[in-house]
Amino acid sequence: MEKIDPKKTLGALYRPSAREVTQVDVPAFDFLMIDGAGDPNGSKAYAQAVEALFSVSYAAKFMHRKQGARAVDYAVMPLEGLWWADDLSAFVANDRSQWRWTMMIMQPEVVARDLVLSAIEAVRRKKALPALDKLRLETFAEGLCAQVLHVGPFSQEGPTIERVHAFIEARAGLRGKHHEIYLSDVRRADPSRWRTIIRQPMG
């Protein structure tokens, strides 16, 4: 059975340098998504959203492996988050109680949308996950963006985000939502080694 890792196939989007901010054009991909609000730290709704996203993503992976000659064994993509606030000052001031978020996991092109939707129902039959009712499959395209790899804890992202914004402001203007892609398992890795892609649409 063929094995693929979409992070490697899409290296320009999912394997950026930590040394320099780069410009990328992000095409449309299918994502499983869940929306929420408030401080994610210690939030039951946030934890439930992440659990539902990974449960369905892995269910889709294993269902796809049973597709016979069409089957491909692929690596499940990392968790991603879109972050914003209705009042921008709350976001800048790190007032997490006012934050809004969309957590999501990209579904590889080799996986049919119908199979992903079937995976949602398969998980629903096996597990009582409250966030499943909030889950949706949506096509999302960001277009032109700037991004860089941040290495270290989330609390130290500020200077990295400023680098991305400065790169954009020298060329265009900020648009869209702050986007983070979590490449590390934060439950196991040392925070000093956490690897997070910081991405911001530009236009």
Side-chain angles (χ1 to χ4, degrees), residues 3-99:
K3 296 184 179 181
I4 62 171
D5 184 348
K7 293 194 302 299
K8 296 180 180 178
T9 306
L10 301 168
L13 303 180
Y14 285 91
R15 303 176 75 183
S17 168
R19 294 187 299 273
E20 60 179 351
V21 179
T22 56
Q23 184 173 301
V24 291
D25 193 1
V26 187
F29 296 112
D30 287 339
F31 284 85
L32 284 168
M33 296 179 163
I34 297 181
D35 300 323
D39 187 345
N41 293 329
S43 166
K44 181 181 293 186
Y46 180 85
Q48 291 172 344
V50 173
E51 181 183 18
L53 286 166
F54 275 112
S55 294
V56 173
S57 294
Y58 274 99
K61 167 189 169 77
F62 294 126
M63 290 171 68
H64 183 73
R65 290 177 61 180
K66 299 178 181 178
Q67 296 295 298
R70 297 179 299 168
V72 174
D73 186 10
Y74 62 88
V76 170
M77 293 297 282
L79 181 70
E80 307 189 26
L82 303 177
W83 301 90
W84 73 102
D86 293 333
D87 180 355
L88 185 59
S89 64
F91 194 77
V92 174
N94 201 32
D95 181 1
R96 298 186 178 194
S97 66
Q98 301 300 313
W99 285 9

Side-chain angles (χ1 to χ4, degrees), residues 5 9 26 91 93 96 99 112 120 136 138 144 177 185 197:
D5 184 348
T9 306
V26 187
F91 194 77
R96 298 186 178 194
W99 285 9
I120 296 175
R136 69 183 186 279
E138 182 175 303
L144 198 61
K177 297 169 181 175
D185 184 343
I197 299 172

Side-chain angles (χ1 to χ4, degrees), residues 22-194:
T22 56
Q23 184 173 301
V24 291
D25 193 1
V26 187
F29 296 112
D30 287 339
F31 284 85
L32 284 168
M33 296 179 163
I34 297 181
D35 300 323
D39 187 345
N41 293 329
S43 166
K44 181 181 293 186
Y46 180 85
Q48 291 172 344
V50 173
E51 181 183 18
L53 286 166
F54 275 112
S55 294
V56 173
S57 294
Y58 274 99
K61 167 189 169 77
F62 294 126
M63 290 171 68
H64 183 73
R65 290 177 61 180
K66 299 178 181 178
Q67 296 295 298
R70 297 179 299 168
V72 174
D73 186 10
Y74 62 88
V76 170
M77 293 297 282
L79 181 70
E80 307 189 26
L82 303 177
W83 301 90
W84 73 102
D86 293 333
D87 180 355
L88 185 59
S89 64
F91 194 77
V92 174
N94 201 32
D95 181 1
R96 298 186 178 194
S97 66
Q98 301 300 313
W99 285 9
R100 299 175 65 82
W101 45 261
T102 297
M103 304 313 297
M104 56 194 198
I105 296 178
M106 193 262 273
Q107 304 302 301
E109 290 183 337
V110 296
V111 184
R113 290 177 62 88
D114 287 348
L115 186 144
V116 178
L117 295 174
S118 296
I120 296 175
E121 296 310 312
V123 172
R124 192 187 305 277
R125 290 191 296 270
K126 293 180 180 180
K127 301 179 180 180
L129 300 182
L132 279 181
D133 290 337
K134 301 177 182 178
L135 193 63
R136 69 183 186 279
L137 181 62
E138 182 175 303
T139 300
F140 176 63
E142 280 185 295
L144 198 61
C145 295
Q147 66 178 27
V148 73
L149 179 67
H150 171 77
V151 180
F154 303 138
S155 60
Q156 295 178 6
E157 286 181 353
T160 305
I161 294 171
E162 290 176 3
R163 286 173 58 202
V164 173
H165 288 187
F167 177 93
I168 293 173
E169 290 166 352
R171 293 161 177 79
L174 299 174
R175 65 174 180 84
K177 297 169 181 175
H178 175 76
H179 187 170
E180 298 189 354
I181 302 170
Y182 307 105
L183 302 180
S184 301
D185 184 343
V186 298
R187 297 168 301 175
R188 296 180 174 88
D190 186 301
S192 67
R193 297 179 180 271
W194 288 355

